[in-house]
Amino acid sequence: MAVTPETEPLSHRTHPVAGAGLGLRRALLGPLQSYDPEIVSKNVDFMEVAPENWINVGGQKRDFFRYFTERFPFVCHGLSLSIGGPSPLDQTFIRKLRQFMDEYNIRAYSEHLSYCTDDGHLYDLMPIPFTDEAVTYVAGRIRQVQDMIGQRMAIENVSYYAAPGAELSEIDFINAVITEADCDLLLDVNNIYVNSVNHRYDPLEFLKALPGDRISYGHIAGHYNEAEDLIVDTHGADIIGDVWDLLDKAYGLFGVFPTLLERDFNIPPVGELLCEVQKIKAIQDKWNRYAQAENEGAKGSTHGQRLSA
Ligand SMILES: [Fe+2]
């Protein structure tokens, strides 16, 4: 495959972590700890947790958690911020979040571009209406969070099953929020695929329209086919070929970015999970080799020009 200028990694971009990661769910703590630690650390470059699951945890569970944070770089992916919700932001939670990130040296905080509260908790991720008014509202709240945690946060493109009151397209909405909030993007390729089937659009065109220089890190996951034209984003199955292809294309467009396997249900044995993490790494290695060859080619031609001058 030819390497074009648009496939070169963007040199000004810095990522909070590198390589291929694995979401650390509570159900995985025991199996991972009893697995060969050398094999785990050889395959997993970073981990991600939901801060809500760990902020107030003490005792033995806290020791378990620290075992991993001392061995792996971490990012955290929130569940409860409700960035698009009508209730005021939970300032107590955000203060605790900052302490939690400091205490465990957690490199980045991401959340879903959705909401999960009304007057109370809705226990689901609801779609924010794609409107200019919502862009201003959400971007303001993201900036508030960023001020409180003292760094940029990343927002994730989410899967959604209805778009109530939409005035903008999904891609225009996401891009407007990122620009107005001056935040980063958590790029979930499975969510793009799921939405492209459910809402009938071209996933590659959508991918191309995202701001690659804002990618903090990525997610990849499996889903469930409810019907031919309805996919449910379950994180409960192996990743399908079309989603792997989309990750490959994302690296081709934007350069390699750190990418994490999300698996929340039907969790297979650790060895099987690590195979999927290895597959992320294999695609990253391929694009890193292309980039390296391209750089060496560019250096070689500059050197040749100098010699002939
Ligand atoms: Fe995700």
Side-chain angles (χ1 to χ4, degrees):
M1 194 182 301
V3 179
T4 63
E6 72 172 0
T7 65
E8 285 183 9
L10 302 170
S11 57
H12 64 273
R13 191 184 50 217
T14 53
H15 297 124
V17 285
L22 178 63
L24 183 62
R25 309 301 179 234
R26 279 194 179 164
L28 265 175
L29 284 175
L32 270 178
Q33 228 182 5
S34 51
Y35 206 77
D36 184 335
E38 240 178 84
I39 297 178
V40 176
S41 53
K42 197 173 149 215
N43 288 285
V44 177
D45 299 311
F46 71 99
M47 291 187 172
E48 179 199 74
V49 282
E52 291 85 352
N53 290 341
W54 297 100
I55 278 177
N56 293 321
V57 158
Q60 199 190 22
K61 279 195 179 131
R62 192 185 180 90
D63 296 341
F64 261 159
F65 183 51
R66 198 174 285 285
Y67 170 90
F68 289 99
T69 56
E70 284 173 350
R71 285 162 180 78
F72 295 90
F74 265 74
V75 291
C76 65
H77 184 47
L79 297 168
S80 68
L81 186 67
S82 197
I83 200 70
S87 324
L89 286 168
D90 183 345
Q91 311 237 346
T92 307
F93 166 73
I94 301 167
R95 273 192 287 276
K96 282 186 182 176
L97 171 72
R98 184 170 182 159
Q99 284 165 7
F100 172 76
M101 292 174 74
D102 286 345
E103 184 178 351
Y104 294 100
N105 190 26
I106 292 174
R107 316 264 187 97
Y109 170 56
S110 61
E111 249 288 359
H112 306 83
L113 185 53
S114 61
Y115 70 97
C116 58
T117 52
D118 193 343
D119 271 344
H121 215 287
L122 300 170
Y123 299 102
D124 210 345
L125 298 171
M126 310 295 286
I128 301 169
F130 301 149
T131 65
D132 287 323
E133 198 185 341
V135 169
T136 306
Y137 178 72
V138 171
R141 281 162 70 96
I142 294 173
R143 282 198 303 271
Q144 221 180 310
V145 176
Q146 293 182 145
D147 286 346
M148 287 187 72
I149 62 170
Q151 66 181 75
R152 270 190 182 160
M153 65 177 288
I155 50 148
E156 178 181 26
N157 58 296
V158 294
S159 51
Y160 62 99
Y161 302 93
E167 292 165 8
L168 303 170
S169 64
E170 180 195 354
I171 188 69
D172 287 346
F173 178 72
I174 293 172
N175 284 333
V177 169
I178 291 173
T179 304
E180 204 167 314
D182 191 22
C183 66
D184 286 332
L185 169 67
L186 162 51
L187 173 56
D188 188 314
V189 285
N190 180 57
N191 289 348
I192 295 179
Y193 180 79
V194 166
N195 291 340
S196 77
V197 172
N198 292 342
H199 304 288
R200 294 173 190 79
Y201 60 68
D202 180 343
L204 187 56
E205 288 307 311
F206 186 93
L207 187 66
K208 282 179 182 169
L210 285 169
D213 59 343
R214 287 302 179 93
I215 297 170
S216 172
Y217 67 104
H219 274 169
I220 190 164
H223 56 249
Y224 174 70
N225 288 324
E226 180 79 33
E228 204 171 285
D229 55 356
L230 177 62
I231 296 183
V232 184
D233 176 29
T234 56
H235 302 175
D238 293 348
I239 298 159
I240 65 158
D242 285 348
V243 174
W244 285 119
D245 286 348
L246 207 54
L247 182 69
D248 185 60
K249 290 193 169 81
Y251 292 160
L253 283 165
F254 306 130
V256 169
F257 50 84
T259 305
L260 179 128
L261 171 68
E262 293 188 287
R263 186 71 184 242
D264 298 336
F265 302 102
N266 297 327
I267 298 178
V270 172
E272 281 179 40
L273 280 180
L274 294 184
C275 282
E276 287 201 311
V277 178
Q278 279 168 3
K279 197 162 172 178
I280 297 173
K281 250 186 208 297
I283 305 173
Q284 292 179 332
D285 287 347
K286 181 187 84 170
W287 283 104
N288 283 333
R289 282 196 303 275
Y290 288 153
Q292 199 183 346
E294 181 75 2
N295 280 341
E296 282 166 8
K299 271 187 210 155
S301 61
T302 311
H303 185 59
Q305 280 166 11
R306 281 204 207 105
L307 287 177
S308 61

